[in-house]
Amino acid sequence: MSRIKVLSHLIFPAILAIGICCLAQSILAQPAPATAILSGTVKSSDGKALEGVGVSARNAAETFTTTVYTDQTGRYSFPSLSSGQYKIWAQAVGFETATAEAVLAGGSKKQVELTLPVLADFHRQLSGTEWAASLPEDTPNDLRMKTVFINNCSGCHQVSFLLQNRFDAAGWGAVMNLMQTMLSIGYAPEGKTPDPVIHAYKDELAEYLGRVRGAGNAPLNFKLLPRPTGEAAQIVVTEYDLPRADMPDGWTMKHNGTDWSEGTPSRYDGRAAHDVAVDKGGYVWFADDATPERTLGKLDPHTGRVTDYKLADPANAAESSHALVFDRQGNIWFANGTEGSPTKFDPETGKFVRFPRPEGIPYSGDFITLDPKGNVWSPHREGAFKLDPVTGKYTNYSAAPAKANYDLAADKEGNVWVSQPGGNRMARVDANAGKIDNVLLDPVVSKGFDVTDKDREISATLSLTPNTATPLEKGPRRSAADRETDTVWVCEFFADRLAKIDARTKKVTEYPLPHRYSQPYGATVDKNHMVWITMLNSDRIARFDPATEKFTEFVLPTRGTEIRHIQVDSSTNPPTVWLPYDRTNKIARIQFRPSLSTP
């Protein structure tokens, strides 16, 4: 090799390295985006520091709101915020909302002090759990009817939406007549057969509600939940608005539960995201079973931007999605509510792939999961089916038709657990043996009242659903499998309990939630084996520690969240929690103070 060639081999890489080094230094020298610090205190009008009060801030140029909570001295502090014009407000049950405005400039620090006057009439601020707890239960009959009301009038929505209103018995009867034919998606088809359980109870319910929540009744003795304290107050909640492509100018919902004084909003405009999943890049994908022009959506947490993806049906309407999950290749599988079969979506290409069910395979439910081998599972009325995503082959597993099959989870052995919320049992599909067996959950043992012969007859003879039940049912709803511990966790919706099932022995252990009438709905497990659950009626979520057998509840800044799904991103430390607000057209992120510096 010539001397010139040798020098070129030595010099050119050196020059290139110097160039890269200089470029890197130049990049590192670029100033970080300008941020500002917002902090202050919250006190009552008598000067008392208020702990556990949510303080929210929103930049006029952004589509998301950030909320933090005050400590025991009434102090609050936000993570770094972008520069801009901010609206700031604090609210707590029993107090008027305090508001302020501030301009935050890069690198600045701003102190905003807020005072909350006492509010005499605060009934519209209450969560569904507080409303339910406040209903009278002085007599055994009132306690029984309270249970009947909760079990049949809160399956699709929080009871706060109902009880913030007053009607006499005739008015409540008219509501019952509508609800017994109303679908969960918000309308009553002409000629629909009334729900048999609501129909059986409607006269009793109308009399009870007219007596305890009638126009002339005395105000209820409200029973309020405690505000967060300690760890429960050390969270940062970011709530992202979801625009709708079918509405003019990217319409966003105005009455969306942000202002508690407006009460729980209608679900008609607010229903959109049902389930969420986070990809490796940190983008949040969501299923949509309501918005006409969207099958799937993608949220960019950094900007709040939402991108819509549509799978058109023969009429060019968007096919709906309900639950979704990522496979190992990064594809999204979702339960196609229009076709009743799984559908695959490739985020890289934006293309959908259908997997039509062959003849003889029943229409699937709204849920989907993957087993350890990557097979796709969905439930149906007789059991569940498995789809091999490589070959496209379906395998059906059927037993006698159940009262209602719902969500499902796959354990580490590949067995699939299907919840049956119309009763007191879980079905287990043994894929290797090709059979289905059941795990029975003991019926609810009522305290304070006697279950009547009518209750027993309805439970035994009528078609119960995920949304209707007698006082006897526990209503297992959505579940999650911890494959490392061989445990299946199940939300017992009507019983307000979290159930742990040993996947090997089928032993069931149950844990009562901290507050009755919370309605646990969905569960997931993080990398630390903590169990996270949503509570449909509560505007809170809960974390359960299996080691200590203790719950911790975290309060959300919106009224009417009605959360049906929960996703934990275990790539952060601590894990980050993601929640779709099914009634109020938002997606929320919960971060914990130690992780605020995590990208």
Side-chain angles (χ1 to χ4, degrees):
M1 182 180 294
S2 69
R3 188 165 182 264
I4 295 177
K5 287 185 177 180
V6 171
L7 289 174
S8 67
H9 277 282
L10 294 175
I11 294 173
F12 290 164
I15 294 173
L16 179 61
I18 292 171
I20 293 174
C21 182
C22 291
L23 177 61
Q25 290 178 347
S26 174
I27 293 173
L28 292 174
Q30 294 295 321
T35 58
I37 299 298
L38 173 64
S39 61
T41 59
V42 177
K43 297 180 180 180
S44 61
S45 52
D46 61 3
K48 181 180 178 181
L50 295 176
E51 182 181 12
V53 174
V55 183
S56 303
R58 186 178 179 104
N59 190 325
E62 295 172 340
T63 58
F64 51 88
T65 300
T66 305
T67 300
V68 297
Y69 293 84
T70 55
D71 64 16
Q72 60 185 358
T73 67
R75 292 199 60 79
Y76 69 88
S77 176
F78 281 84
S80 297
L81 299 172
S82 58
S83 299
Q85 176 73 42
Y86 277 82
K87 178 181 178 182
I88 304 154
W89 65 95
Q91 54 189 346
V93 175
F95 296 89
E96 294 181 23
T97 301
T99 62
E101 293 188 359
V103 176
L104 301 183
S108 67
K109 295 183 179 180
K110 189 77 174 181
Q111 287 276 125
V112 175
E113 314 301 329
L114 298 166
T115 300
L116 299 184
V118 174
L119 180 64
D121 183 7
F122 52 82
H123 74 276
R124 288 193 172 273
Q125 297 179 332
L126 299 178
S127 67
T129 301
E130 290 166 320
W131 271 111
S134 303
L135 291 174
E137 50 185 53
D138 301 325
T139 68
N141 183 59
D142 276 355
L143 184 55
R144 172 180 169 270
M145 287 311 304
K146 180 175 179 175
T147 303
V148 170
F149 167 67
I150 299 299
N151 285 11
N152 291 279
C153 300
S154 66
C156 293
H157 51 74
Q158 296 174 239
V159 297
S160 53
F161 181 62
L162 294 175
L163 295 177
Q164 63 190 5
N165 305 289
R166 287 175 176 265
F167 303 102
D168 59 15
W172 284 113
V175 173
M176 297 297 163
N177 286 334
L178 175 64
M179 293 309 299
Q180 67 181 346
T181 59
M182 180 75 73
L183 300 178
S184 65
I185 56 177
Y187 72 97
E190 185 176 354
K192 181 181 180 296
T193 302
D195 179 278
V197 183
I198 296 179
H199 184 76
Y201 281 123
K202 72 171 187 172
D203 292 338
E204 286 183 279
L205 283 170
E207 185 279 330
Y208 169 71
L209 291 171
R211 181 162 46 83
V212 302
R213 196 61 187 150
N217 298 140
L220 297 174
N221 180 21
F222 292 125
K223 298 177 182 178
L224 308 185
L225 296 178
R227 294 197 300 271
T229 184
E231 182 190 10
Q234 294 299 308
I235 61 173
V236 177
V237 184
T238 309
E239 296 176 312
Y240 298 87
D241 296 343
L242 298 182
R244 291 180 54 151
D246 60 308
M247 296 289 192
D249 302 319
W251 171 93
T252 54
M253 189 178 179
K254 301 303 180 185
H255 180 199
N256 61 3
T258 298
D259 183 350
W260 294 1
S261 68
E262 295 176 335
T264 299
S266 168
R267 191 182 177 201
Y268 181 79
D269 286 336
R271 184 174 179 180
H274 195 281
D275 282 21
V276 293
V278 184
D279 68 20
K280 293 180 180 179
Y283 291 98
V284 182
W285 295 80
F286 59 94
D288 189 328
D289 63 349
T291 305
E293 291 299 309
R294 181 167 59 211
T295 301
L296 296 173
K298 180 179 72 173
L299 167 68
D300 182 342
H302 299 290
T303 65
R305 180 187 176 191
V306 173
T307 305
D308 296 331
Y309 299 87
K310 175 181 175 180
L311 174 62
D313 66 10
N316 201 36
E319 298 197 8
S320 68
S321 59
H322 198 86
L324 75 169
V325 64
F326 278 98
D327 65 19
R328 295 169 186 167
Q329 292 73 41
N331 300 304
I332 295 174
W333 290 86
F334 64 92
N336 188 321
T338 308
E339 296 185 343
S341 58
T343 301
K344 183 174 74 171
F345 175 76
D346 184 344
E348 293 293 328
T349 65
K351 293 184 178 180
F352 294 87
V353 180
R354 305 173 190 267
F355 289 80
R357 291 173 292 110
E359 185 176 354
I361 299 293
Y363 184 98
S364 74
D366 295 322
F367 301 98
I368 196 166
T369 194
L370 299 179
D371 67 20
K373 296 181 180 179
N375 294 307
V376 181
W377 289 79
S378 280
H380 55 70
R381 181 167 177 79
E382 300 172 9
F385 61 66
K386 177 178 69 176
L387 167 65
D388 184 329
V390 177
T391 65
K393 177 185 177 182
Y394 278 86
T395 305
N396 187 39
Y397 300 86
S398 290
K403 290 186 175 180
N405 282 330
Y406 204 66
D407 193 20
L408 74 178
D411 64 27
K412 73 175 186 179
E413 300 298 329
N415 300 310
V416 174
W417 298 75
V418 184
S419 57
Q420 298 180 348
N424 293 305
R425 69 182 188 182
M426 297 284 293
R428 190 190 72 150
V429 181
D430 186 332
N432 294 323
K435 66 177 183 179
I436 300 177
D437 54 16
N438 296 307
V439 174
L440 300 180
L441 306 172
D442 294 332
V444 173
V445 178
S446 299
K447 295 180 179 180
F449 68 93
D450 294 326
V451 175
T452 66
D453 290 339
K454 177 179 179 178
D455 298 329
R456 296 188 185 92
E457 181 181 358
I458 292 172
S459 180
T461 63
L462 295 185
S463 177
L464 305 176
T465 73
N467 304 320
T468 56
T470 74
L472 291 163
E473 277 70 52
K474 288 182 174 175
R477 203 99 185 203
R478 302 191 73 170
S479 57
D482 187 339
R483 292 174 183 171
E484 291 187 18
T485 63
D486 218 6
T487 304
V488 177
W489 296 94
V490 185
C491 292
E492 294 183 346
F493 185 72
F494 298 124
D496 285 299
R497 297 178 183 179
L498 177 66
K500 178 179 73 174
I501 303 177
D502 186 311
R504 294 164 295 177
T505 66
K506 302 180 184 178
K507 178 184 177 182
V508 179
T509 307
E510 296 174 315
Y511 303 93
L513 266 63
H515 301 103
R516 191 76 169 91
Y517 315 116
S518 294
Q519 311 292 71
Y521 198 104
T524 193
V525 181
D526 70 19
K527 63 183 177 183
N528 301 316
H529 309 292
M530 299 291 182
V531 185
W532 296 85
I533 63 172
T534 69
M535 298 178 289
L536 187 76
N537 204 34
S538 187
D539 294 327
R540 298 179 176 217
I541 64 167
R543 184 190 66 203
F544 179 74
D545 185 341
T548 63
E549 299 186 340
K550 300 294 184 181
F551 288 93
T552 303
E553 290 190 338
F554 300 92
V555 179
L556 300 169
T558 292
R559 278 291 174 262
T561 54
E562 226 163 81
I563 306 165
R564 288 161 164 79
H565 185 246
I566 185 167
Q567 175 74 34
V568 176
D569 180 3
S570 285
S571 68
T572 64
N573 189 30
T576 301
V577 178
W578 289 94
L579 305 163
Y581 291 0
D582 196 62
R583 174 176 284 269
T584 54
N585 216 28
K586 303 176 187 178
I587 287 177
R589 178 184 66 192
I590 299 181
Q591 295 171 295
F592 299 84
R593 285 292 182 175
S595 67
L596 292 182
S597 60
T598 302

